[in-house]
């Protein structure tokens, strides 16, 4: 629903839930550079503080050797327009998890209307910009989840 762009279909979560998140499988491994997000619902609370995590595996459970890498911590504006958030140190990932930490407003439901992910595939990066040895080694290191990591087991929503 989040990826379809239909304003009448959206993520609907009770704001009273202790943990609120969305996990999205990308169509292919991607070096995500930007996340776009919008909430078009008038009578709902909009996200304020959130964290984006990335992983090459799902489910990502620490005792199975999988770790979610922190891609960034962000603060959204209280607006009903599309907002863009830049990933400062993109790594190759197949799954993203967005942890919604706080919300604007006091409505009973917290909603997200649209999420879009922008970036490039490993092969795009390799062909278009990683002709030097250092660039190639950084790309290969990202396959192994280099970067800041968060040890988090999957929990039920």
């Amino acid at each position: 629903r989040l990826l379809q762009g239909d304003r009448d279909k959206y993520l609907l979560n009770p704001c009273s839930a202790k943990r609120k998140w969305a996990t999205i499988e990308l169509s292919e491994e991607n070096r995500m550079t930007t996340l776009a997000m919008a909430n078009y619902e008038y009578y709902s609370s909009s996200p304020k503080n959130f964290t984006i995590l990335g992983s090459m595996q799902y489910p990502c459970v620490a005792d199975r050797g999988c770790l979610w890498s922190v891609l960034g911590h962000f603060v959204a504006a209280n607006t009903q327009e599309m907002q863009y958030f830049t990933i400062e140190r993109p790594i190759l990932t197949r799954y993203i998890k967005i942890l919604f930490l706080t919300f604007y407003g006091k409505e009973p439901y917290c909603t997200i209307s649209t999420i879009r992910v922008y970036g490039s595939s490993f092969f795009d990066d390799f062909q278009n910009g990683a002709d030097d040895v250092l660039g190639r080694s950084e790309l290969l290191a990202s396959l192994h989840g280099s970067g800041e990591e968060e040890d988090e087991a999957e929990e039920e929503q």
Side-chain angles (χ1 to χ4, degrees):
R1 294 180 185 187
L2 291 174
L3 305 175
Q4 294 174 344
D6 184 344
R7 288 186 179 209
D8 293 327
K9 296 179 181 179
Y10 46 86
L11 172 75
L12 177 66
N13 204 346
C15 291
S16 60
K18 284 187 179 182
R19 295 191 169 110
K20 295 171 265 310
W21 75 82
T23 303
I24 299 169
E25 179 181 7
L26 304 176
S27 60
E28 63 181 326
E29 289 80 11
N30 187 296
R31 182 184 296 274
M32 186 172 79
T33 57
T34 305
L35 178 109
M37 182 169 58
N39 180 25
Y40 301 122
E41 286 302 302
Y42 284 104
Y43 302 105
S44 68
S45 294
S46 295
K48 182 176 182 179
N49 294 292
F50 64 97
T51 298
I52 302 173
L53 307 172
S55 174
M56 290 295 285
Q57 302 174 27
Y58 189 83
C60 187
V61 181
D63 63 353
R64 294 186 190 157
C66 178
L67 297 174
W68 286 100
S69 297
V70 176
L71 301 178
H73 305 281
F74 302 94
V75 178
N78 191 12
T79 180
Q80 291 183 318
E81 297 175 7
M82 186 68 77
Q83 298 179 61
Y84 297 87
F85 305 94
T86 301
I87 308 300
E88 294 298 323
R89 187 142 167 78
I91 63 167
L92 202 61
T93 187
R94 178 66 184 256
Y95 300 91
I96 61 168
K97 184 176 194 177
I98 305 167
L99 305 173
F100 300 104
L101 306 173
T102 61
F103 284 80
Y104 290 103
K106 303 227 183 270
E107 298 293 335
Y109 290 101
C110 297
T111 62
I112 305 296
S113 301
T114 301
I115 291 177
R116 295 180 185 157
V117 174
Y118 299 95
S120 58
S121 72
F122 172 78
F123 296 107
D124 290 341
D125 284 352
F126 198 78
Q127 289 176 343
N128 296 331
D131 293 330
D132 60 272
V133 174
L134 178 60
R136 287 183 186 164
S137 64
E138 286 178 3
L139 282 172
L140 294 173
S142 73
L143 281 172
H144 299 291
S146 65
E148 186 179 358
E149 295 177 342
E150 181 172 296
D151 188 9
E152 175 180 301
E154 271 303 302
E155 300 167 321
E156 289 190 23
Q157 196 167 1

